Amino acid sequence: MIGRVFHYEFLQAYRRRSELVTPVVFFVLVCSMFPLALGSVADLLAPLASGVIWVAALLATLLSLDQMFRQDFDDGILEQMELSEVPFYQLVAIKILAHWCLTGLPLVVLSPLLAMMLFMPSESYLSLIVGLFLGTPILSLIGAIGAALTVKIRRGNVVLSLLIMPLYVPVLIFGATAPVMAAQGIMPAAQLLWLAAMLVLAATLAPLAASLGLRINIYGS
Amino acid sequence: MNWTWFHKWGSPKWFFQKTESLIYWFGFLALIFLVVGLVWGLAFAPEDFKQGNSFRIFYIHVPSAILAQSIFLAMAISAAVGLIWRMKLAHVFVETAAPIGASITLLALLTGAIWGKPTWGTWWVWDARLTSTLIQFFLYLGIISLHQSIENRDTASKATAIACLVGVVNLPIIKFSVNWWNTLHQPATFTLTESPAMATEMWVPGLIMVLGFYMLFAYLVTLRMRSEILEREKGSAWVKAYLEKLNVL
């Protein structure tokens, strides 16, 4: 069942390819807006690069969250999943994992390219990539709670952003400061370990909260 | 232990009848504490030897900042009670307290900015406590907008309760991360374990103001809960009897 849900998610994503690409294109676009607005001087952009990439990754994730459950909620697939013999939170966790593979992972893969375009110092690359690798799943996990709670709201995207963005603050702080530390020659172990700890916490609790949120919307009370 | 009192308070009718007189006490005490605290703090408390008279905004800033955090905690506890015991009254508390909490947080931020200008020379600094209060304000706004955008009342209540709980799990992490990120603000004035480092005649009116703010919150939230209960229970017999007694119908 779990494997089948994972396969189903990828199949769905493949059939809606254009939607899949949107967050990634958005990510690249936001990052390339900054040199246009701030000027193309390398000395100016280099210290800002990690912050810009992290904010862009955060916004791209927010953009994709609304679609995480909506389609399956509207056509009743989520209700069938809820009724199946597999615990619902496990299926929700699989859906979140698939969401991260399809939106978070491409951002991680693309980040070195954008870091290069923003003149990030080479010592920072590793901590940026590791940070994004640990941080973007947290964005998907916390975002899933918001997506679950707003699944019934027609224009849920605005409410979702308002609700979820404050919760992203710790991820943003630890994620964006790690490459800055690395550029100063300090090993950013503390930041990356914090991200890993938050990932463990979010992976434990977020699927439960998201499945509870979905249940409330499925049963209407 | 006898739990009947707990379930009695869960009944909207019981709550409405019991708070009939209680609410006047909240209002009365709030008025007394706030008037005494304000007059004492603004007119009679000694001047700060460094900050002069500008420190007097302390008497509004600190109570509102304390209350803003307490309301969030109270909302989260109430949200848990509402979800676990399916107590509608607890949800009513969460929903009616949220806008008050947001306003009090905004008050804390504004008075902080006004205090910051003469003391730090700037309206705003990205210091740890200011930032985490700002984020707490955003959390309040998120919860309020979530509640308002869901049409079904039961769904809205439960979704809001979950958002509150998620928020309260996150709040310590947010505080820690922001704290770690940057620190400039002075440490907390009132702690449970130590007496404050301020002069006695300076912090006593502050404490009275804190009590006044709590009473004001109790008054406002009871008022809002009572009107919400009337709205929700408008079909029931006891509400009709109550309104007939008031000669409204």
Side-chain angles (χ1 to χ4, degrees):
Chain A
M1 179 74 187
I2 284 176
R4 226 180 290 160
V5 170
F6 204 64
H7 177 241
Y8 160 80
E9 288 294 320
F10 276 87
L11 199 63
Q12 283 285 309
Y14 179 71
R15 287 181 183 153
R16 286 180 275 149
R17 284 180 290 268
S18 62
E19 251 173 64
L20 191 65
V21 184
T22 315
V24 181
V25 175
F26 182 80
F27 175 64
V28 177
L29 264 175
V30 170
C31 284
S32 44
M33 286 294 132
F34 278 85
L36 296 176
L38 299 172
S40 58
V41 188
D43 288 349
L44 181 77
L45 287 173
L48 299 176
S50 71
V52 168
I53 292 172
W54 263 97
V55 170
L58 192 150
L59 293 176
T61 310
L62 270 182
L63 192 72
S64 67
L65 283 176
D66 198 46
Q67 286 305 316
M68 196 191 259
F69 298 122
R70 187 167 299 259
Q71 194 96 23
D72 288 344
F73 179 81
D74 286 345
D75 57 22
I77 289 175
L78 271 176
E79 193 170 347
Q80 293 304 314
M81 285 183 177
E82 209 281 322
L83 292 170
S84 79
E85 77 277 24
V86 183
F88 190 39
Y89 77 91
Q90 290 181 6
L91 297 177
V92 171
I94 291 299
K95 280 185 78 73
I96 299 170
L97 180 65
H99 175 268
W100 176 74
C101 290
L102 293 166
T103 59
L105 203 53
L107 304 187
V108 181
V109 173
L110 269 177
S111 61
L113 185 71
L114 290 161
M116 205 173 65
M117 283 165 72
L118 294 168
F119 309 109
M120 183 184 261
S122 55
E123 308 87 62
S124 303
Y125 275 65
L126 188 63
S127 56
L128 177 78
I129 298 165
V130 174
L132 280 169
F133 188 76
L134 294 168
T136 45
I138 311 178
L139 301 183
S140 291
L141 283 159
I142 299 177
I145 304 172
L149 293 176
T150 56
V151 75
K152 242 187 192 170
I153 306 170
R154 274 304 124 203
R155 299 206 176 274
N157 229 339
V158 182
V159 182
L160 178 61
S161 310
L162 205 57
L163 188 67
I164 289 305
M165 234 189 303
L167 303 176
Y168 281 170
V169 167
V171 184
L172 187 67
I173 288 177
F174 290 118
T177 48
V180 177
M181 297 278 280
Q184 294 165 353
I186 307 162
M187 166 80 181
Q191 284 89 338
L192 298 178
L193 286 173
W194 264 100
L195 282 176
M198 288 195 291
L199 175 60
V200 172
L201 183 70
T204 319
L205 295 180
L208 288 171
S211 62
L212 192 59
L214 285 171
R215 266 204 194 109
I216 287 168
N217 279 307
I218 289 171
Y219 295 115
S221 65
Chain B
M1 198 176 154
N2 192 353
W3 283 95
T4 33
W5 63 270
F6 183 70
H7 294 287
K8 270 183 183 164
W9 279 103
S11 137
K13 184 186 171 189
W14 175 273
F15 178 86
F16 194 85
Q17 286 167 349
K18 286 291 151 186
T19 51
E20 187 108 54
S21 56
L22 206 57
I23 191 167
Y24 289 106
W25 279 104
F26 289 147
F28 176 70
L29 287 174
L31 193 69
I32 297 284
F33 282 134
L34 288 181
V35 167
V36 170
L38 271 180
V39 172
W40 190 353
L42 295 188
F44 295 104
E47 238 176 61
D48 186 84
F49 83 102
K50 261 193 206 151
Q51 300 180 22
N53 274 322
S54 75
F55 104 94
R56 291 185 197 278
I57 202 165
F58 164 90
Y59 295 113
I60 300 182
H61 175 67
V62 171
S64 53
I66 292 175
L67 184 61
Q69 290 193 5
S70 306
I71 295 176
F72 205 95
L73 193 63
M75 276 165 61
I77 293 169
S78 191
V81 169
L83 283 177
I84 295 165
W85 284 282
R86 297 175 177 249
M87 203 177 265
K88 286 199 176 128
L89 203 61
H91 290 308
V92 173
F93 174 83
V94 175
E95 286 145 28
T96 51
I100 306 175
S103 330
I104 296 286
T105 315
L106 187 62
L107 182 69
L109 284 169
L110 289 178
T111 50
I114 295 167
W115 196 6
K117 187 64 184 162
T119 326
W120 295 334
T122 165
W123 295 104
W124 181 261
V125 282
W126 286 98
D127 140 80
R129 284 229 242 160
L130 275 79
T131 313
S132 60
T133 310
L134 183 70
I135 292 160
Q136 190 183 310
F137 179 62
F138 291 149
L139 276 175
Y140 271 121
L141 293 188
I143 288 168
I144 294 169
S145 74
L146 176 70
H147 179 249
Q148 285 184 345
S149 50
I150 302 179
E151 277 164 31
N152 182 294
R153 186 181 277 161
D154 268 359
T155 314
S157 296
K158 289 190 179 169
T160 312
I162 293 178
C164 269
L165 289 176
V166 173
V168 93
V169 169
N170 259 276
L171 211 53
I173 304 176
I174 293 174
K175 288 212 170 195
F176 173 81
S177 68
V178 172
N179 216 20
W180 182 87
W181 172 63
N182 200 350
T183 303
L184 190 99
H185 198 287
Q186 57 187 334
T189 309
F190 292 114
T191 56
L192 286 176
T193 45
E194 288 170 57
S195 67
M198 289 172 90
T200 314
E201 55 271 32
M202 270 160 106
W203 67 257
V204 169
L207 199 60
I208 295 175
M209 285 300 287
V210 173
L211 292 175
F213 264 69
Y214 273 106
M215 283 298 138
L216 183 67
F217 169 68
Y219 173 73
L220 290 175
V221 84
T222 316
L223 198 66
R224 285 174 59 92
M225 281 175 82
R226 281 167 63 84
S227 55
E228 178 70 24
I229 287 170
L230 281 185
E231 167 72 29
R232 286 186 177 216
E233 307 272 314
K234 61 188 169 205
S236 68
W238 69 267
V239 171
K240 276 184 189 147
Y242 173 77
L243 293 180
E244 266 162 20
K245 210 172 75 188
L246 288 178
N247 275 328
V248 195
L249 285 185

